[in-house]
Amino acid sequence: MTKKIRTAVFPVAGLGTRFLPATKSIPKEMLPLVDRPLIQYAIDEARAAGITEFIFVTARGKSALEDYFDRAPELERALEAKGATDLLAEVRNATMPSGAIAYIRQHEALGLGHAVWCARRLLGERPFAVILADDVIAGDTPCLRQMVDAYEAAGGGCMMAVMDVPASQVSSYGILKVAEDQGDLVRAAGLVEKPSPEDAPSNVAVIGRYILTPEVLNSLGQKKPGAGGEIQLTDAIAEQIGAGLPVHGYRFRGQRYDCGSKAGLLRATVAFALARDDLSEDFAGYLRQLAREDLTVGW
Ligand code: G1P
């Protein structure tokens, strides 16, 4: 029996430089996809996978995230008085019960691996999930739910969401060296962070969802810098393969949007708007009009 995954780590300490100047005063994870911040999608996905404890690894300038998950009594009273029940439900969905959420500060930007290591004392000896909120994944079954089911079927170890990417994009991702490709599950023989296309062992790329064992935290504790001089989560997971522990990629079902890039956030905005009953008709009409006009935009 594998141990249940109850805790998820959300590394949210990044500077968000690709979205400056907006991210000068708003955390990247608070940027909206239609009308909900990116972090809300990540939280909903975690809840759907059975997560009940949420650990945020934050940094200076991220207090808007803490406020977002706090109660908003005045706002709730105002919405109640207006009978705005749908909005009230949305606002309450963004509130975390006391004790369910913890914030840890990463004092220096030393990499994703270091950010996860910062949460070690709250994680203890149980396996845990990591969610990178700027990878938004739309699908019938939320990605982490699919992974938890696959993890239980596989009998534990480490698991990462993966997808096949074109060779020209491998240098943006952690890339698997494939030991055995079973379709949904890919057993890893190694992992390389952001290789050049010539050095990439495959085109199976890690996407921002992980289920990890506590041993990964011990490896991270050695704080060996890797690609880009940063302490890489990829390297610590690769060490588990060396130690003989099972490490799998999981090819999730769903559409992933790289909302850490402007183009990705725009694509996601279009896709999510078209999927909304209250917006799709009007918005689709606008897109058709733009397409007819050869996408020239004017105002
Ligand atoms: C991080 C990880 C990388 C992974 C990617 C997925 O990179 O280091 O292994 O493939 O997320 O989005 P980042 O995009 O933060 O540079």
Side-chain angles (χ1 to χ4, degrees):
M1 264 282 280
T2 52
K3 288 188 189 161
K4 291 271 178 233
I5 312 295
R6 291 285 176 238
T7 307
V9 178
F10 300 82
V12 291
L15 290 174
T17 40
R18 282 190 268 186
F19 288 100
L20 282 170
T23 45
K24 192 175 166 215
S25 65
I26 303 171
K28 171 177 71 168
E29 299 75 17
M30 289 303 294
L31 292 175
L33 193 42
V34 188
D35 49 12
R36 318 171 89 204
L38 292 176
I39 196 67
Q40 185 67 53
Y41 294 91
I43 292 289
D44 287 349
E45 184 179 329
R47 282 181 177 143
I51 300 293
T52 51
E53 289 169 31
F54 305 80
I55 303 174
F56 281 70
V57 183
T58 69
R60 291 179 290 283
K62 297 278 182 167
S63 50
L65 275 164
E66 297 190 28
D67 291 341
Y68 179 75
F69 290 113
D70 208 337
R71 285 206 55 197
E74 299 82 6
L75 181 60
E76 286 183 35
R77 271 197 300 275
L79 292 172
E80 233 161 11
K82 278 210 260 179
T85 42
D86 290 357
L87 284 177
L88 188 60
E90 285 285 344
V91 166
R92 289 194 172 140
N93 185 40
T95 307
M96 286 280 179
S98 299
I101 193 160
Y103 301 93
I104 296 282
R105 285 247 173 155
Q106 185 189 26
H107 295 121
E108 280 179 279
L110 295 178
L112 176 60
H114 179 260
V116 172
W117 177 80
C118 288
R120 68 201 177 281
R121 293 200 206 292
L122 292 172
L123 290 167
E125 291 304 312
R126 296 176 64 86
F128 57 95
V130 176
I131 297 188
L132 307 187
D134 51 15
D135 277 331
V136 173
I137 302 174
D140 290 340
T141 307
C143 181
L144 190 64
R145 174 78 260 165
Q146 296 176 37
M147 285 174 70
V148 166
D149 294 343
Y151 163 86
E152 286 174 358
C158 290
M159 189 170 278
M160 301 147 290
V162 295
M163 63 185 257
D164 299 289
V165 299
S168 58
Q169 292 176 17
V170 289
S171 59
S172 301
Y173 297 95
I175 299 290
L176 263 67
K177 181 172 181 202
V178 178
E180 192 187 354
D181 194 334
Q182 304 164 345
D184 285 357
L185 269 195
V186 185
R187 192 162 59 79
L191 274 175
V192 194
E193 179 69 9
K194 305 200 171 92
S196 63
E198 306 80 62
D199 296 335
S202 76
N203 65 343
V204 182
V206 177
I207 300 304
R209 303 289 183 276
Y210 306 78
I211 295 175
L212 301 176
T213 60
E215 288 82 8
V216 173
L217 298 171
N218 298 336
S219 297
L220 287 171
Q222 292 158 21
K223 300 210 191 88
K224 286 189 225 141
E230 296 190 336
I231 298 164
Q232 297 291 354
L233 188 55
T234 307
D235 296 341
I237 301 170
E239 275 189 31
Q240 312 314 308
I241 306 172
L245 298 171
V247 173
H248 287 101
Y250 175 75
R251 280 200 187 92
F252 56 93
R253 295 178 304 283
Q255 179 66 45
R256 174 257 186 174
Y257 297 93
D258 173 13
C259 294
S261 77
K262 287 186 260 257
L265 183 63
L266 288 169
R267 282 177 192 211
T269 302
V270 172
F272 278 63
L274 289 175
R276 285 265 299 249
D277 290 344
D278 56 337
L279 294 170
S280 60
E281 205 182 313
D282 190 48
F283 191 53
Y286 173 64
L287 293 179
R288 277 192 214 100
Q289 181 197 332
L290 278 188
R292 274 197 301 274
E293 290 165 11
D294 242 2
L295 297 175
T296 352
V297 182
W299 50 70

